[in-house]
Amino acid sequence: MKRLFWLGVGVVAGVAISRKATETARQATPAGVAANLGDAMRELAGAVGSFGAEVRAGMNEREQELNDLVEDRTGLPSRPQGRHAAARRARRAEG
C-alpha cells in the first residue's frame, strides 16, 4: 500500500514539474517574452492613465478651492473673462 501511495505522489509531482517546465520554456521563447512585455506595457499604461486622472482631479479640486477663496475675499468672480474682455465690452458700448 505504501508503494502505491508513493507511486501516486511521484506521478502527481512529475506532472506538476512537467507543466511548470513547459510553461517556463514557453515564456522563454520570443513569443512568450513579447507577450510578457505587452502585458507589462498595458499595465504601465493603465497605471500612468489612472495617475494622470488622479492628478487632474486633484488639480480641479484645488483650483475650485482657490476660486472659492478668491470669491470669498474679494466678492468678485474668480474666473477672468479673458484678456480682451474689457476691450470687447468697450467696443460694444461704442457701437
Side-chain angles (χ1 to χ4, degrees):
M1 195 64 171
K2 284 184 178 181
R3 289 184 180 176
L4 187 58
F5 170 76
W6 288 112
L7 177 68
V9 169
V11 169
V12 169
V15 168
I17 290 171
S18 174
R19 287 189 178 185
K20 183 67 175 173
T22 302
E23 179 62 26
T24 302
R26 187 198 64 77
Q27 288 180 356
T29 64
V33 170
N36 288 340
L37 183 61
D39 291 343
M41 293 303 291
R42 277 189 291 278
E43 186 176 332
L44 178 63
V48 168
S50 66
F51 174 74
E54 288 179 18
V55 167
R56 283 188 300 277
M59 286 173 31
N60 289 337
E61 182 180 328
R62 181 64 177 150
E63 182 180 9
Q64 186 60 47
E65 290 173 4
L66 293 174
N67 286 336
D68 292 343
L69 181 66
V70 169
E71 285 178 7
D72 289 345
R73 290 192 180 191
T74 63
L76 298 174
S78 60
R79 296 247 178 197
Q81 299 298 318
R83 285 181 15 179
H84 305 290
R88 283 193 301 266
R89 282 192 299 269
R91 281 193 302 262
R92 281 190 219 136
E94 290 174 1

